[in-house]
Amino acid sequence: QVQLVESGGGLVQAGGSLRLSCAISRSIFDFTNTGWYRQAPGKQRELVAFIPGAGGTTYTDSVKGRFTISRDTAKNTVSLQMNSLKPEDTAVYYCRALRAGIEFWGKGTLVTVVS
């Protein structure tokens, strides 16, 4: 059973920062990739950023230059540093891991950005 547990969400003013963290119950190297998605009210879930198993990073265009994804392979955590937050970043943020074609999701953490 794979478990992903997110933390770090909250309420922040526009221009502020938050850091999300995802604790994974097994080695990050067991997954094809790990990353973050988000779902805003009334919208579909969308990719924010991910790290392939071999390393490197990919970001959706709207967060490039503001968000940074990283991983700690010793602690099996994936983090998302979010700077210069905007009201349109308001969403539930989900951690996702992919292994052998199977997706594993956390329950999500709410990020609310107010102007």
Side-chain angles (χ1 to χ4, degrees), residues 34-55:
T34 54
W36 291 90
Y37 283 67
R38 66 186 180 186
Q39 187 167 17
K43 295 187 177 181
Q44 290 188 329
R45 193 172 297 188
E46 64 172 357
L47 170 69
V48 177
F50 74 92
I51 301 178

